[in-house]
Amino acid sequence: MTGTLTIAGLGPGDEALITPEVSAALAAATDIVGYAPYVARVRPRDGLTLHPSDNRVELQRAGDALQLASEGRHVVVVSSGDPGVFAMASAVFEALEEFPQWRELPIRVLPGVTAMLAAAASAGAPLGHDFCAINLSDNLKPWPVIEKRLRLAAEADFAIAMYNPRSASRPEGFGRALEILREAGCGERFVIFARAVSAPDQRIETVKLHEASPEMADMRTLVIVGNSATRRVGRWVYAPRHAR
Amino acid sequence: MTGTLTIAGLGPGDEALITPEVSAALAAATDIVGYAPYVARVRPRDGLTLHPSDNRVELQRAGDALQLASEGRHVVVVSSGDPGVFAMASAVFEALEEFPQWRELPIRVLPGVTAMLAAAASAGAPLGHDFCAINLSDNLKPWPVIEKRLRLAAEADFAIAMYNPRSASRPEGFGRALEILREAGCGERFVIFARAVSAPDQRIETVKLHEASPEMADMRTLVIVGNSATRRVGRWVYAPRHAR
């Protein structure tokens, strides 16, 4: 019996945002592997083994999933949002480089609605023009790289989606990011704080960047900084399609 | 009777990538408004009026949709992919600025799987680290703005998703974009040409940027340029989670 490995995105939280492709993969799985809060989003059933794990053990988790698939199991590795955006897909391919014996396994990556798209939709259309996505976590890269990217993104006049703006271990990073953007002349830009996107306790808050403070974001917040042309109409915030 | 306006993303093509939220909105609609090829993706039924329109009439189309909703209809404006990424959501909010009488209408934006996420999933995980999305169409912005953004994106070492790389009216732009990235020292980066993503005739091709030529993209192609650390493992291309 040949096992399979599927890397799937569960979307930002609401079940109505899980694609039928991902639902079908979950229904056919024998094993679900992932960070515990995401595994908890999969309904238990007979014949399905859940393998929740801790945060920050992505490579170990990827290796475990590949091992299970090599034993003939049908394994789904679950991520929140899209598995290819700051999530498990890269970790699985890193593990695949480390363990060549698993390279022949049938692997599929199933896309999902990543947090910035759901956040943008709730706020209006702040990503309607060119934009970038930056992971503010410095677990995986030196902080100066993040600063440099923020400065260049401001100069390019991209809208900027910030993932993982604030963690318990590094509360000062996001404040510094706001400072850099103010220094880069972005004080009058709109900033959207989208907390718990698509969950029942979703909260969307929009302010000018010069009014933003670090405490407005926590670990469940996705932050979108608009570009210089981003406007408000009624309760909506959007990037016009044209640029000068 | 109060009408409603819903701006929905149909995903890149495969029905299995349409979220249940969007399917429910289509099932409850009285009117579907959009660019003809996208409207053609909605199954006709009794009680549903389809309003296909031409390309490049986004603002007119948005106004028509708002007019229908103001008459009590339940209107869904459909886009391919995600409606907030180079699609109809921004056009609807632009129309809303122009016509204040419609600002009280109930409006919802429903996110979808945008082309770059599906392309990335088919190729591996090239968007697994910081990235940007640039619309190469110069209908809506001056070409020098596009050049500047490409140079800054290369300097930031973002992976770069290019939407609308090549159109009949402006075939030379994409060749120039490749030149700029070569000049910026990106010749050894991987480039993924993802054509007809998620459709039966999908084709994924990966080359080094110095080997890429403009003819490799057409109007149905999404191009992803990897960052400097992007690697191949077997048939997969991925961005490692770490940066130096």
Side-chain angles (χ1 to χ4, degrees), chain B residues 75-133:
Chain B
V75 183
V76 177
V77 176
V78 290
S79 286
S80 175
D82 179 275
V85 175
F86 313 132
M88 279 301 295
S90 282
V92 170
F93 294 120
E94 284 175 38
L96 212 57
E97 284 218 82
E98 208 165 315
F99 305 106
Q101 71 271 26
W102 289 328
R103 291 207 191 146
E104 300 310 314
L105 281 173
I107 295 179
R108 290 194 309 157
V109 185
L110 308 186
V113 174
T114 183
M116 69 177 164
L117 299 183
S122 290
L127 304 180
H129 197 79
D130 301 338
F131 64 91
C132 65

Side-chain angles (χ1 to χ4, degrees), chain A residues 191-225:
Chain A
V191 187
I192 298 155
F193 291 86
R195 187 170 185 284
V197 176
S198 89
D201 57 336
Q202 166 176 307
R203 198 183 62 216
I204 307 286
E205 199 175 357
T206 302
V207 299
K208 290 288 186 92
L209 198 136
H210 67 76
E211 303 161 335
S213 64
E215 304 71 43
M216 296 172 78
D218 67 10
M219 286 167 72
R220 295 182 69 200
T221 308
L222 189 288
V223 177
I224 297 177
V225 179

Side-chain angles (χ1 to χ4, degrees), chain A residues 98-231:
Chain A
E98 207 165 319
F99 305 106
Q101 71 270 27
W102 289 327
R103 289 205 193 150
E104 301 310 314
L105 281 172
I107 295 179
R108 289 195 308 157
V109 185
L110 309 185
V113 174
T114 183
M116 70 177 163
L117 299 184
S122 290
L127 304 180
H129 197 79
D130 300 339
F131 63 92
C132 66
I134 300 180
N135 188 347
L136 283 202
S137 166
D138 64 353
N139 295 333
L140 300 168
K141 62 193 163 199
W143 179 257
V145 170
I146 298 175
E147 293 206 358
K148 179 182 173 187
R149 287 182 181 160
L150 288 169
R151 284 195 194 93
L152 291 166
E155 192 182 341
D157 202 6
F158 285 131
I160 306 170
M162 297 184 191
Y163 282 73
N164 303 313
R166 212 141 186 265
S167 66
S169 65
R170 184 193 31 83
E172 70 289 356
F174 179 57
R176 183 69 193 121
L178 291 174
E179 245 174 65
I180 287 163
L181 293 174
R182 276 192 281 263
E183 287 162 15
C186 302
E188 287 301 315
R189 292 201 196 184
F190 288 109
V191 187
I192 298 155
F193 291 86
R195 187 170 185 284
V197 176
S198 89
D201 57 336
Q202 166 176 307
R203 198 183 62 216
I204 307 286
E205 199 175 357
T206 302
V207 299
K208 290 288 186 92
L209 198 136
H210 67 76
E211 303 161 335
S213 64
E215 304 71 43
M216 296 172 78
D218 67 10
M219 286 167 72
R220 295 182 69 200
T221 308
L222 189 288
V223 177
I224 297 177
V225 179
N227 70 13
S228 65
T230 295
R231 307 168 56 81

Side-chain angles (χ1 to χ4, degrees), chain B residues 94-183:
Chain B
E94 284 175 38
L96 212 57
E97 284 218 82
E98 208 165 315
F99 305 106
Q101 71 271 26
W102 289 328
R103 291 207 191 146
E104 300 310 314
L105 281 173
I107 295 179
R108 290 194 309 157
V109 185
L110 308 186
V113 174
T114 183
M116 69 177 164
L117 299 183
S122 290
L127 304 180
H129 197 79
D130 301 338
F131 64 91
C132 65
I134 301 180
N135 188 347
L136 283 202
S137 166
D138 63 353
N139 294 333
L140 300 166
K141 62 193 163 199
W143 179 258
V145 170
I146 298 175
E147 293 206 359
K148 179 181 173 185
R149 287 182 182 160
L150 288 169
R151 284 196 193 92
L152 291 166
E155 190 181 344
D157 203 5
F158 285 131
I160 306 170
M162 297 184 192
Y163 283 72
N164 303 313
R166 212 141 185 268
S167 66
S169 64
R170 184 194 31 80
E172 70 288 357
F174 179 56
R176 182 69 194 122
L178 291 175
E179 246 175 65
I180 287 164
L181 293 174
R182 276 192 282 260
E183 287 162 15

